[in-house]
Amino acid sequence: MTLDYSNNNLTRQLIVMGNGFDLQCGMPTRYQDFFDYRFGISLQYKINKYLESNSDARTEFYETLFQKLYSYLTITVGPKQIIRTSSSINTTEEKLKIISKTQSLTKKYLLQIKNQITNNIKDPQLQKNFFIEWETISSITYSKWDTIFLLANCFLSEDSIIQWNDVENIILKIVSIILLDNKKVSSDDLTSDLTFKSNSSKRYFIFGVRNCFNESKNKVAIAMLNQLRIFEENFADYINKIRAESPNRYYRPSFELLTNLMHVQKENILDVLSFNYSLDKGCLDGFRQYFDNKYNNQNLITINSWSNIHGVAAYKDDYEKGQILAQSTKTIGKNIQLPAPIFGIDNHDILSPDNNFTFDDPRSIFTKSFRLLDNHVNNIRTKTFQKNVDVITFFGHSLNQADYSYFESIFDQYDIFHSNVKLEFYYYPGNDEVTAKSNEREVMKNVVKLLTSYGNTLANEHGENIVNKLILEQRLSVLPNPQINY
């Protein structure tokens, strides 16, 4: 495929954005930020600030949690390794009640916070605001996945390849531990890439997660998925909350950053593939207005498509639904549901030994392919990408293997091996030269890993040389993030 560059006043571009985009715009959207809010840690930080306390709320919360759970599991599980299989132990007779235990510990922590607000916050308005936030947090529906992530925090070591708050990789590990037959797959294989604080920690972690779900073998996967949907809904509510708190502080920087990523010419045709749940098609009118004002209506922008591939946080908001559907170029039924945010695992992660994907694997319903179909994400994807593009820009995405399937599809569509399409990957430069160089090298490593993986899928080509080919043809760039004004 050869692109037509005869029109030098036209740029066709695809921008792929990950969570780093929201972070660059000042949004606290890391999983760690969500967990801090979810368990009341961020509220405790606010209280500490008012009381002029130097206590580290996060460290204190998780250290206390570890001490309580470790003691509890030592008494319940004991020094002997006991790992339940679906058939060997009658779960109704077990003494271990890991869900109720972790839930009671989080409730106790929130109650301590409430007492602090009541007794120590003397400013009436601040006390009122703290109580409102406390009530919101306390009303969050508890998910069994909350327990799983708390167990991971307690028992995984700091040098584990997969960290406790690496949500999608933890999901893969947990569904494998619970759903795969441990007579055929060893616990060492199931926990590869997980490093534990001790052998006891590994034993307690596996035992704990296997006792989070007591459903029968043919029902447990659905039960896990239903609990995951509760967890996803809680995450969506968090994103909506922080976006609503300061919309102007988010939208303007996001519009500026998006514009700075564009190769602006007289005419610009743009596709956006977003892995975020926040900025969505409902914001397009505001973005167009920002673009027109910046370029004094002298440059034309056409947004060919905008896809929040993993759903939108405001999926329950009727106003947001109207805004999103108003951007559609084809008629959509009024009763359509917006796709909710999803977390999932990549098909590559559960391939059979002969590299085939099978729905016989009980983990298949957790793959992103299955979840996208189940989530009806195409309800709001009314247009496909442009047939041709000049440049594909990746910003703020970790390039995690869980999303390789998406990237490989894009690379196939634009035939990056043979075409003239340029690839751009951005990295966060930090505040000093050492950080900048470290982050640049990390992104370079991930880019080479991604492209090499893709090159190996190309039949009858020297795909293993794709990185060298792109560099020689000046079609591969690794760039520092553009600056924006907050």
Side-chain angles (χ1 to χ4, degrees):
M1 178 179 68
T2 302
L3 297 180
D4 179 9
Y5 288 93
S6 59
N7 185 353
N8 293 325
N9 291 320
L10 169 65
T11 295
R12 298 177 179 271
Q13 187 172 1
L14 167 61
I15 296 179
V16 179
M17 62 173 67
N19 188 49
F21 185 94
D22 281 353
L23 295 175
Q24 180 83 356
C25 297
M27 288 270 281
T29 53
R30 294 184 180 92
Y31 291 132
Q32 180 68 71
D33 299 319
F34 165 66
F35 286 120
D36 282 352
Y37 171 76
R38 167 70 187 89
F39 298 121
I41 297 169
S42 57
L43 179 55
Q44 182 65 64
Y45 272 122
K46 294 176 184 178
I47 294 172
N48 289 351
K49 182 177 181 180
Y50 171 81
L51 299 176
E52 298 182 348
S53 169
N54 294 324
S55 299
D56 188 324
R58 184 187 298 157
T59 299
E60 290 182 350
F61 173 81
Y62 289 117
E63 284 185 352
T64 301
L65 183 75
F66 172 75
Q67 293 169 5
K68 298 289 187 181
L69 287 180
Y70 193 90
S71 297
Y72 170 70
L73 288 166
T74 298
I75 295 171
T76 309
V77 180
K80 184 179 180 181
Q81 183 171 355
I82 305 172
I83 298 179
R84 175 176 71 85
T85 66
S86 58
S87 59
S88 62
I89 295 178
N90 185 340
T91 58
T92 61
E93 296 178 359
E94 290 181 14
K95 296 179 181 179
L96 185 65
K97 304 294 182 184
I98 193 66
I99 298 296
S100 59
K101 183 64 177 180
T102 51
Q103 189 172 8
S104 67
L105 289 172
T106 57
K107 285 183 175 179
K108 182 178 180 180
Y109 181 73
L110 287 174
L111 184 60
Q112 292 173 350
I113 291 177
K114 182 180 182 181
N115 291 336
Q116 290 182 68
I117 298 172
T118 301
N119 299 322
N120 300 333
I121 307 301
K122 305 305 180 183
D123 183 315
Q125 185 59 50
L126 189 60
Q127 185 184 63
K128 178 181 178 181
N129 292 341
F130 283 171
F131 268 128
I132 291 173
E133 184 169 345
W134 181 88
E135 289 171 356
T136 302
I137 296 170
S138 299
S139 66
I140 296 174
T141 303
Y142 195 87
S143 166
K144 291 183 178 182
W145 285 92
D146 290 330
T147 289
I148 286 170
F149 288 108
L150 291 174
L151 288 170
N153 175 277
C154 286
F155 299 123
L156 292 183
S157 67
E158 292 183 358
D159 61 352
S160 180
I161 295 175
I162 297 176
Q163 285 293 298
W164 74 274
N165 54 6
D166 184 350
V167 168
E168 292 187 326
N169 278 321
I170 290 293
I171 290 173
L172 170 63
K173 290 300 178 182
I174 298 306
V175 298
S176 297
I177 289 171
I178 295 177
L179 299 179
L180 294 185
D181 188 342
N182 65 344
K183 294 180 180 179
K184 298 180 179 179
V185 186
S186 70
S187 61
D188 288 337
D189 289 336
L190 292 173
T191 57
S192 61
D193 296 332
L194 296 179
T195 305
F196 296 90
K197 295 176 180 178
S198 65
N199 289 334
S200 294
S201 291
K202 178 180 180 180
R203 182 166 67 251
Y204 296 163
F205 176 76
I206 295 175
F207 190 89
V209 299
R210 281 185 172 152
N211 281 275
C212 284
F213 297 92
N214 295 327
E215 290 77 11
S216 61
K217 185 175 181 180
N218 62 334
K219 294 181 180 179
V220 65
I222 298 299
M224 294 175 70
L225 187 57
N226 289 338
Q227 286 293 313
L228 183 58
R229 289 194 177 105
I230 295 174
F231 182 82
E232 292 163 347
E233 182 175 358
N234 292 339
F235 188 81
D237 290 342
Y238 169 72
I239 296 297
N240 289 328
K241 170 189 172 294
I242 60 176
R243 188 172 69 164
E245 285 176 345
S246 52
N248 293 332
R249 288 180 56 193
Y250 171 60
Y251 289 124
R252 192 190 182 286
S254 66
F255 295 160
E256 180 181 351
L257 179 56
L258 189 57
T259 303
N260 289 347
L261 294 174
M262 293 175 57
H263 293 245
V264 177
Q265 297 288 346
K266 277 292 185 181
E267 185 177 357
N268 307 274
I269 304 177
L270 179 66
D271 287 295
V272 173
L273 176 63
S274 176
F275 288 81
N276 299 338
Y277 313 103
S278 47
L279 197 67
D280 53 47
K281 289 174 69 174
C283 309
L284 293 188
D285 284 340
F287 173 62
R288 291 189 188 95
Q289 184 177 0
Y290 173 88
F291 185 90
D292 289 342
N293 290 340
K294 181 170 183 175
Y295 293 100
N296 298 314
N297 295 304
Q298 298 300 306
N299 300 70
L300 177 65
I301 182 170
T302 300
I303 301 173
N304 178 68
S305 71
W306 184 295
S307 301
N308 292 82
I309 193 64
H310 289 161
V312 294
Y315 70 102
K316 294 184 290 187
D317 188 306
D318 288 338
Y319 175 78
E320 187 77 12
K321 175 181 175 180
Q323 292 292 102
I324 291 174
L325 297 186
Q327 302 296 333
S328 301
T329 57
K330 69 179 184 181
T331 302
I332 300 180
K334 292 183 179 180
N335 295 325
I336 199 169
Q337 289 185 336
L338 298 183
I342 61 167
F343 302 130
I345 62 179
D346 188 66
N347 294 359
H348 291 83
D349 293 321
I350 62 170
L351 292 177
S352 62
D354 56 356
N355 285 327
N356 289 320
F357 175 78
T358 172
F359 279 101
D360 291 334
D361 189 317
R363 299 171 296 172
S364 63
I365 63 173
F366 293 90
T367 62
K368 290 182 178 178
S369 298
F370 181 93
R371 301 219 60 204
L372 289 178
L373 286 171
D374 188 46
N375 205 33
H376 305 291
V377 69
N378 282 333
N379 283 351
I380 59 172
R381 297 186 69 235
T382 56
K383 293 189 69 176
T384 58
F385 297 148
Q386 305 168 66
K387 183 178 180 181
N388 298 324
V389 294
D390 305 306
V391 59
I392 304 173
T393 302
F394 293 82
F395 185 92
H397 199 290
S398 64
L399 306 181
N400 191 294
Q401 187 172 346
D403 292 320
Y404 275 15
S405 296
Y406 299 114
F407 303 146
E408 290 173 359
S409 296
I410 291 171
F411 295 160
D412 280 342
Q413 177 172 344
Y414 294 116
D415 192 12
I416 64 168
F417 194 84
H418 299 102
S419 70
N420 296 323
V421 174
K422 296 181 179 180
L423 303 181
E424 297 177 334
F425 297 86
Y426 281 87
Y427 67 90
Y428 174 62
N431 299 315
D432 58 79
E433 187 174 344
V434 174
T435 301
K437 183 56 66 176
S438 174
N439 290 347
E440 180 186 28
R441 287 174 177 169
E442 183 66 21
V443 170
M444 286 179 176
K445 180 179 72 174
N446 291 336
V447 168
V448 170
K449 184 179 177 182
L450 166 64
L451 291 173
T452 301
S453 174
Y454 173 68
N456 290 333
T457 69
L458 301 177
N460 304 318
E461 301 288 356
H462 294 291
E464 71 279 3
N465 297 324
I466 189 170
V467 175
N468 292 338
K469 185 177 191 297
L470 291 171
I471 292 174
L472 288 173
E473 296 174 1
Q474 297 183 317
R475 295 196 289 124
L476 179 61
S477 302
V478 177
L479 308 165
N481 292 359
Q483 296 295 314
I484 59 173
N485 298 315
Y486 291 99

